[in-house]
Amino acid sequence: MVKMTFHVMIIPTLNCPSNCKYCWGSENKKEMMDLDIIDQIIEWLSDFRDDKVHFTFHGGEPLLAGYEFYENALNKLSHIDNLDGFSLQSNIWLLDEKLINLFIKYNVVVSTSIDGPREINDYQRGEGYFEKTMANYELAKSKGLIINFVLTVTDYSKDFSDELYEFFKNEKMNLKIHAALPSLRGDNADPWALDQEEHGKLLIDWLDKYLYDLDKFTIMDLDHICKSALRRRGTLCTFADCIGTTLAVGFDGSIYPCYRFVGMDDYILGNVSSNPSFDDLKQSQAWVKLQEFRNHVDENCKKCRFVKYCEGGCPYNAIVAYQTPKAVDPQCTAYKMIFGEVSKRMNKEFAKSAIPGFSKSNSKKDTDSFSIMDLAMKP
């Protein structure tokens, strides 16, 4: 029997040197995780579950923890018998040759954030952000460390959809698309939040382009959406029942549902210092709130033809948008739009291959582009 992968996110700090206008997460606190917490995580996981474990370092800005922290943490964690691998999400401003060599040694998959060309990116993320991130991206690339990208689309940058697409395609950058969200930690992010219909339109527009460019770069969201439609189940955390399959550990050892909740006391499930079991986490009030989200989705989305693809979306998104766990992801309309478009095209392709005489046209569009099925079958 193939074991599933259990995802543990390690958040060394919520501090961050950048000051993105739409940020909903970082609080610029100075607390930093001690290596003793890594030891406690290892002890906790030794009896917690026997699934394969993938670790992601996130923040805040995780590289603020420094080289010595990662040298020791990666060494300690690499000795876990059921290790699946490591990831890290960072603005990479502090990435240097020593860290690059260390991350290559432990096969750490690194992701960073860029919101498109310099003018668009720096308007949203701050003057100089683009130059600092791209300089270290080029350094990492020259040393053989692969960097993936996260693009956050806001109410502002949505109007530059073509420019964004061409930037990532021309730079051959593999990326994930995030819609800017409102925030539970203040209203600074709210004016930047992306409308769900605008999000859906962008995804469909990019799908049209991407089907001609599958050999040039990777848009992970569209890959996963097509895989989800083909397999009739979500293949990305946004489109899966992530409750309990992903957990995050904050700087003090507190356990949260995921990195987005770190620092929010109402969503502490436990602490690694007490070696809580899975059943212990389920007894927390935070778990009760998460289950309210799951119950709401099960009841209110049961007639939706796409519920098996998206599972109601992201619990954090729902809680932030509606100030209650009894809600679904506010990007629901966007998900329905893109899943509907993919399903329509996929069904058409199945019909073309199954019905005698119903063949593709000889138009340039049909012969020169990839198909939805090509996209859904990408490894």
Side-chain angles (χ1 to χ4, degrees):
M1 180 178 177
V2 178
K3 293 181 180 180
M4 66 180 291
T5 298
F6 174 47
H7 196 180
V8 177
M9 311 183 89
I10 298 175
I11 319 300
T13 182
L14 286 177
N15 194 13
C16 183
S18 56
N19 188 27
C20 303
K21 293 180 180 178
Y22 56 79
C23 181
W24 47 262
S26 298
E27 296 182 334
N28 291 321
K29 291 184 176 180
K30 303 301 183 184
E31 293 90 346
M32 191 68 64
M33 180 178 287
D34 189 88
L35 278 168
D36 288 345
I37 300 297
I38 299 297
D39 294 328
Q40 292 175 17
I41 290 172
I42 293 170
E43 179 65 23
W44 166 55
L45 292 177
S46 65
D47 295 320
F48 186 72
R49 54 196 301 171
D50 61 359
D51 303 305
K52 292 186 290 185
V53 183
H54 188 96
F55 293 98
T56 296
F57 296 92
H58 214 298
E61 173 45 57
L63 291 187
L64 288 170
Y67 178 85
E68 184 178 345
F69 173 86
Y70 284 101
E71 182 182 38
N72 285 279
L74 290 170
N75 178 54
K76 290 171 182 286
L77 294 168
S78 68
H79 289 92
I80 292 178
D81 291 336
N82 51 344
L83 178 68
D84 178 69
F86 298 108
S87 301
L88 180 139
Q89 173 68 35
S90 163
N91 62 26
I92 66 172
W93 294 358
L94 298 175
L95 192 65
D96 58 19
E97 290 195 22
K98 284 183 64 178
L99 279 167
I100 288 171
N101 291 333
L102 183 69
F103 293 157
I104 290 174
K105 175 181 177 180
Y106 288 101
N107 297 311
V108 180
V109 178
V110 178
S111 296
T112 192
S113 293
I114 281 288
D115 291 348
R118 182 193 307 269
E119 295 79 7
I120 298 172
N121 179 87
D122 284 5
Y123 181 77
Q124 297 188 165
R125 289 185 170 267
E127 190 71 26
Y129 187 110
F130 183 92
E131 182 177 356
K132 284 185 279 190
T133 296
M134 291 299 291
N136 280 348
Y137 163 60
E138 294 297 337
L139 175 64
K141 190 165 62 170
S142 72
K143 300 296 182 182
L145 179 66
I146 297 173
I147 306 279
N148 295 317
F149 289 83
V150 174
L151 159 67
T152 299
V153 182
T154 68
D155 184 62
Y156 166 76
S157 65
K158 74 179 190 304
D159 295 329
F160 302 94
S161 173
D162 291 343
E163 290 89 341
L164 298 178
Y165 183 90
E166 290 301 317
F167 171 79
F168 285 98
K169 183 184 78 170
N170 293 338
E171 295 289 339
K172 299 183 177 0
M173 293 173 167
N174 298 332
L175 75 147
K176 291 176 65 177
I177 305 168
H178 284 185
L181 300 169
S183 176
L184 282 179
R185 298 189 174 103
D187 61 3
N188 64 299
D190 295 1
W192 297 83
L194 183 65
D195 175 80
Q196 53 188 319
E197 288 194 13
E198 295 291 345
H199 185 194
K201 290 176 184 177
L202 182 139
L203 290 173
I204 292 172
D205 178 48
W206 280 36
L207 177 66
D208 286 332
K209 298 182 177 78
Y210 187 41
L211 288 172
Y212 292 89
D213 297 324
L214 297 186
D215 56 341
K216 297 180 178 66
F217 70 135
T218 296
I219 304 174
M220 298 176 215
D221 312 71
L222 294 179
D223 288 6
H224 282 287
I225 285 167
C226 291
K227 286 181 174 69
S228 297
L230 179 65
R231 300 176 186 179
R232 298 297 192 266
R233 62 176 178 82
T235 62
L236 185 69
C237 69
T238 305
F239 306 131
D241 184 359
C242 63
I243 300 172
T245 65
T246 296
L247 294 173
V249 181
F251 80 95
D252 62 351
S254 295
I255 303 169
Y256 300 85
C258 104
Y259 80 96
R260 292 181 166 187
F261 290 96
V262 172
M264 299 167 63
D265 291 347
D266 288 346
Y267 286 90
I268 295 177
L269 298 163
N271 193 289
V272 294
S273 63
S274 62
N275 286 332
S277 67
F278 197 67
D279 286 338
D280 291 333
L281 300 186
K282 286 184 175 182
Q283 300 305 310
S284 67
Q285 287 301 305
W287 188 277
V288 171
K289 292 180 181 180
L290 295 172
Q291 199 56 50
E292 287 179 359
F293 166 81
R294 177 52 47 207
N295 293 340
H296 180 85
V297 169
D298 290 345
E299 179 60 30
N300 289 271
C301 301
K302 59 186 177 183
K303 294 183 179 179
C304 177
R305 58 189 284 235
F306 302 120
V307 67
K308 291 298 182 185
Y309 304 173
C310 80
E311 295 286 352
C314 173
Y316 177 87
N317 290 3
I319 292 166
V320 165
Y322 302 110
Q323 303 294 298
T324 174
K326 296 180 180 180
V328 297
D329 192 318
Q331 293 297 324
C332 175
T333 296
Y335 303 152
K336 286 179 179 177
M337 289 170 68
I338 187 61
F339 277 121
E341 185 68 22
V342 167
S343 296
K344 179 180 69 176
R345 298 186 189 197
M346 192 171 288
N347 289 337
K348 185 176 180 180
E349 289 179 25
F350 276 128
K352 286 179 179 179
S353 63
I355 300 174
F358 193 108
S359 61
K360 294 182 179 179
S361 76
N362 293 321
S363 70
K364 179 175 175 59
K365 182 172 182 179
D366 282 333
T367 57
D368 285 1
S369 64
F370 293 91
S371 71
I372 289 289
M373 291 304 297
D374 292 321
L375 180 49
M377 297 301 290
K378 280 184 71 178

